[in-house]
Structure formats: structure tokens, C-alpha cells
Amino acid sequence: MGRPKVALITGITGQDGSYLADFLLDQGYEVIGMVRRSSTVNFDRIRHIQDRITIAQGDLLDQMSIVDILREHRPHEVYNLAAQSFVPTSWKQPVLTGEFTALGVTRMLEAVRIVDPEIRFYQASSSEMFGKVKQTPQNEDTPFHPRSPYGVAKVYGHYITVNYRESYGLFACSGILFNHTSPRQGLEFFTPKITHGAVQIKRGQASKLYLGNLDARRDLGYTPDYVRAMWLMLQQDHPDDYVVASGETHSVREVCQLAFGQLGLNWEDYVVVDPQFLRPADVDLLVGDASKARRVLGWEPTLNFEALIHLMVQANLKAA
Ligand code: NAP
């Protein structure tokens, strides 16, 4: 028997990393997860697979730690999901966001180039790069106009990935993923914040839910569908960039209506707009055109918006 396929995931303790690890294990991969040191272990999302994966200590800020991991584990595929991933924090810590989310990508690509340029590389790009959108829906050719330090850092990460593909012939792909959520997403993100908040109110554990812009519209999908698209990109004959999106757009208000409605509550009685959650600059109507991913990768989402919100509410009820 030959060596099983080996994949390195940066950001394995995060939402996407944990689902991608589940998916790759199911495909028979050996999975290495890069984890940065912290004073307490932060493995909630990967506890169920902890004995089936290998943890390697490394940090996007530390070039040699990444080189050493690649030398030791010799992965065939690298999925760079680690980042400072929360848009509001990027205004508070713009320099750090640039270090992790932008320059961190170059450190990963440099490590790949130096250790083994045959490694296939995936970069977690974001619809936030479109920001003040130039066309609707957005596809791979839509110009970028990011509206946050996070979005700006992701544009850098995207172009450096394209540049290493063109400069060094690396098999490097940038997946431009629109918002996706799941019961494993952090509670600071709007969908779990709403569904978790609605369940808390239903159970009498809270009386109000404080949110930002209710008119903000997002293209929202289910994370397990989106990590499958990442893997599909690295299985093609040629590296390329792909938009991954549901193609539908829904407002924060609609998420509230559905989530509270499923619990027999009227959202207007509980939701309060709190100016502290408004962004200094918001993005416009983000809605993705994933026709290339559908055509070339054969990718299809499995859950629609209503089913996704239902799943989130049910998961919150179960956890409660
Ligand atoms: P997440 O839950 O916030 O996970 C981020 C991961 O990055 C965590 O594992 C975190 O580790 C790790 N990390 C942060 N800084 C690091 C550093 N300096 N060195 C090593 N690891 C570091 O994010 P996610 O939702 O899974 O998203 C995954 C990727 O997709 C991110 O790059 C995000 O920007 C991008 N993306 C997400 C969406 C979305 O809707 N979720 C859409 C488009 C793109 P700790 O556990 O130690 O904090």
C-alpha cells in the first residue's frame, strides 16, 4: 500500500478547519492540523477527531515554524484557513489582521515553494474582497473594492496566491467563499448570534438580542458544503480560482424573522439595534455567482437558506 494522502490544515481549530478535517478523514487522508500555542487548549471543534489527527505547533507569524511542519509531515495538500477572520476586529487590530490574514499567506506560500513546490495549496479568500460591489452577482472576474482592513488583507492573500501560481507554477487555488455558517461557527458571527440568542430568549435566559445593521444582506451557505468545494479545487487538473456561493441573498432581518418564527416568537419584540455593532463602512449587496464551481467542479450546495436556519435553531435547542 502506498502512503495515504496527507493534508495540512492551518486553522484546524476554527469552524471551517474542523469540518474540512472531518471531510478529509472520511476521504482516507492523514490530517495534520497546525495549531498556535495558547495558554489553554482550544480544541472544542476537533475534540471528536483528536485521536485521528496529528497536531503540529506553528504560527502564521513564524516562517520557520511553517517550513519545519512541511519538512516533517510532507503534505500533498495544504489548506490555509488560518486568519484573523472577524471583520469588526480588523478595525480594532488592523496591523495584526494584515500580519495574519495577508502576510501569513506569503509565509505559507514561501514554505511550499522552498520545501516542496509540488504541494497543492488552497487559500481561503472571501466575498468581503468585493465590498463596495462593482457588479451583481459577483463572479471570479468582478473587480475588488474591499471595505474593511480584513477585506484588504484578503485581497492581498488572493493576489499573492495568484502571483505564486503565475511566478513559480505552484498548484495554488484561491477559493472566494461567500458567508457560510454552521453550529460550529463562533457566536460573534451574525447567524449563530441570532439563532443562539433566539433560543436563549425562548428559554427565558435573555430578554433582548442586540444587533447591528438589520438591512445588511448576505449570501449564506452551510459550511460542510463549502469545505467540499475547497477539496474539489485541489483535485482538478489545473489550479484556478472559484467563487463558492448560494446565489441567494438574505437580510439580517430575514434571519431574525425565520429564527424567532421557528420558535413561535415575533422577532420585533426582542431585537434591538445597537450602534456599537454597526460597521464603520459596510459592504453592499453581496451575492455570488458560483456557476464556474458548479460547471467545473460539479459542486452543488445541499442545504437552502430556510433549511440552514432550521438546522441552526435545532442545534442551539439541542445544545441548550
Ligand atoms: P475561524 O473559525 O475564526 O478560524 C480561524 C482559525 O485561524 C482558528 O483555528 C485560529 O486559531 C487560526 N489562527 C488565527 N491566527 C492564527 C495564527 N497567527 N497562526 C495560526 N493559526 C491562527 O474562521 P473560519 O470561519 O473557520 O474561516 C476559515 C477561513 O475562511 C478564514 O481564513 C476566514 O477568513 C475565511 N472565510 C470565512 C468565511 C465564513 O463565512 N466563515 C467566508 C469567507 C472566508 P485559534 O483557534 O488559535 O484562534
Side-chain angles (χ1 to χ4, degrees), residues 13-16 36 42 59-60 81-83 85 150 154 177 180:
T13 56
Q15 177 196 208
D16 289 14
R36 58 178 168 165
N42 164 22
D59 198 301
L60 287 179
L81 311 186
S85 69
Y150 169 84
K154 283 289 181 189
L177 269 52
H180 45 277

Side-chain angles (χ1 to χ4, degrees), residues 10-17 34-38 42 45 58-61 80-86 100-101 123-128 150 154 175-181 184-186 188-189 223 230:
T10 74
I12 195 166
T13 56
Q15 177 196 208
D16 289 14
M34 187 177 100
V35 172
R36 58 178 168 165
R37 201 236 156 225
S38 62
N42 164 22
R45 295 186 179 101
D59 198 301
L60 287 179
L61 296 183
N80 183 37
L81 311 186
Q84 191 302 93
S85 69
F86 191 48
F100 287 9
T101 306
Q123 168 56 19
S125 293
S126 165
S127 55
E128 290 284 329
Y150 169 84
K154 283 289 181 189
I176 305 172
L177 269 52
F178 280 62
N179 283 77
H180 45 277
T181 191
R184 293 187 202 163
Q185 192 175 34
E188 70 275 30
F189 291 90
T223 303
M230 298 175 187

Side-chain angles (χ1 to χ4, degrees), residues 240-305:
D240 207 342
D241 309 320
Y242 297 89
V243 162
V244 180
S246 74
E248 287 179 21
T249 178
H250 297 279
S251 66
V252 172
R253 182 178 278 104
E254 280 176 77
V255 177
C256 291
Q257 268 163 356
L258 258 184
F260 282 83
Q262 283 175 14
L263 295 164
L265 301 173
N266 177 9
W267 70 278
E268 284 166 308
D269 296 338
Y270 306 101
V271 172
V272 179
V273 173
D274 184 339
Q276 70 156 311
F277 296 121
L278 297 173
R279 295 178 178 189
D282 216 336
V283 297
D284 287 343
L285 181 64
L286 288 181
V287 54
D289 171 5
S291 48
K292 180 174 166 187
R294 288 172 189 265
R295 192 179 68 249
V296 180
L297 307 177
W299 178 79
E300 287 292 336
T302 61
L303 278 193
N304 67 16
F305 175 67

